[in-house]
Amino acid sequence: MHKKSRAYFLVAFFSVWITTGIYGQQDTVILKFKEYLGYVKKYHPVAKQAQLTISIGQANLMKARGGFDPKIEVDYSRKEFKGDEYWDRLNATFKVPTWFGVELKGNFEQIEGDFINRDETLPNDGLYSLGVAFSLADGFWINERMATLRKAKFFREQSKADQDLLVNEILYKASLAYFDWLRAYQDAEIFKDFLQNAETRFQGIKKSALAGDIAVIDTVEAKIAVQNRALSLEQARVKLMKRSLELSNFLWLNDLPVELQPNVVPDNEVENDIDETLEIMGRPLDSFTLENHPKIQSLEFKIDGLVVDKRLKANKLLPTLDVEYNFLTETPGTISSLETNEFKGGVVFRVPIFLRKERGDLKLAKFKLRDAEFERDNALVEIQNKVIAIYRELDSYTTQNLLIANIVRDYSTLLSAEERKFSFGESSLFLINSRESSLIDAYLKQNEVQNKFFLTKAMLFKSLAINPIDL
């Protein structure tokens, strides 16, 4: 199937899924907030990208563990010239690195030829050796392999916290798009309803004017009201179209973007589902703990990795003192053949005179660690203050929603009373339009306050860095 055709097919499938899965309606389909976020978390590219962070952490850990993998080395060389065999050398080694910096090594050497050095002369069946190599200064407490593995473990845990942050961020942005789409839809519905009221009123006034009950000029004012409502509705529809397209940015299915269909509408009762969907229900301020916050956890694991790096750099100030000892035998199958007076060993000692590189690396490691600690301390204060402010803001919006609901109710009462007075000839069309405009403004203000209330809930969701498990 052509890619573009598949996209259209998936669009249709998405609409059918919502229709059959939620309300079974064919004309108007309600896209529930929880189902919407579920699709975002499952199919959005950024959400999938977040899943890669854990895979990257696991891959880094596997790579670090590779530093302790046993190794087999085989070195073979042979030289013949003008019928003479100069040498035939075979050197096979098996090495086993250990966590404690000790390297176990088994070796087999066999050398034959007419032109070999006396110190290279070996038994005809070759020579076996078994020994150890380790460091007594630099690399004794910690070495590159140890540090790399420890940092990889911290990075794996950090990647889990980072995944929660990335998923939380994309769900937060998707929530904002849904709430803005809901507000634009509600605004458009308000203008649609009041346009119908204005048209009904215009038709009634027109009949009354033709009957001579009222002045003909009143029909002009009623017509202007209809045109104003139509203009406001058209502007609201343009805004709704923009918000719908913004919402579509978060809708994906099988790696293809999904365009929101015109018959899909938001859930007007979303307030009942927000807390449960975002998993902020039952989270009072006194239950908030910074230790479990993914951002703080990520910074803590970052600091742990930098501490390991600082220890490694501090260990580099020690001189290099590598010791190696190997038992030699012609018969490795016999344990008694391993004698201490038959051995091959050595010592390597090395130390820079000024240690400027090592001291510079240690200072840089300390600066990086301190910088990460400053970042963590600042994040602790920022998150705590932000969460406290959001809880207080939510309390304020709860009060504001109650106040604006009362205002809308009172404006509705005034408009109904004015219309009743107009039917008795005790009011004017101008007063009715004025009351209606105030009521419209009150409805729009109610949508605005509700929208800010929802956005603040989404901000709390982001500040707590929640990765919902039920989506």
Side-chain angles (χ1 to χ4, degrees), residues 338-356:
L338 300 176
E339 298 182 4
T340 56
N341 60 345
E342 294 181 351
F343 68 92
K344 179 176 65 174
V347 176
V348 176
F349 179 80
R350 182 172 60 251
V351 58
I353 300 299
F354 300 110
L355 293 172
R356 286 181 291 195

Side-chain angles (χ1 to χ4, degrees), residues 198 201-210 212-226 422 425 427-433:
R201 187 182 300 118
F202 170 66
Q203 295 298 330
I205 291 175
K206 185 177 179 181
K207 291 180 180 178
S208 298
L210 292 176
D213 295 333
I214 60 175
V216 178
I217 194 65
D218 286 342
T219 60
V220 177
E221 186 170 356
K223 185 178 180 181
I224 292 175
V226 172
F422 181 77
S427 182
S428 66
L429 186 60
F430 173 79
L431 288 176
I432 291 179
N433 289 336

Side-chain angles (χ1 to χ4, degrees), residues 231-248:
L231 176 61
S232 298
L233 176 59
E234 189 60 29
Q235 293 172 342
R237 283 174 174 169
V238 171
K239 188 174 182 180
L240 177 60
M241 179 268 295
K242 291 181 179 180
R243 294 293 180 261
S244 299
L245 290 176
E246 291 173 2
L247 186 80
S248 297

Side-chain angles (χ1 to χ4, degrees), residues 81-94:
F81 184 67
K82 293 184 178 180
D84 294 328
E85 183 183 47
Y86 279 67
W87 68 74
D88 189 327
R89 291 188 175 95
L90 173 63
N91 191 332
T93 305
F94 178 69

Side-chain angles (χ1 to χ4, degrees), residues 274-275 278 280 394 453-461:
I274 289 180
D275 291 356
L278 298 181
I280 58 176
L394 286 173
F453 183 52
F454 293 163
L455 295 183
T456 306
K457 283 182 176 287
M459 181 60 70
L460 176 62
F461 167 76

Side-chain angles (χ1 to χ4, degrees), residues 186-197:
Q186 290 175 335
D187 288 350
E189 288 297 299
I190 288 173
F191 288 117
K192 180 180 177 181
D193 292 340
F194 279 97
L195 174 60
Q196 293 176 353
N197 293 342

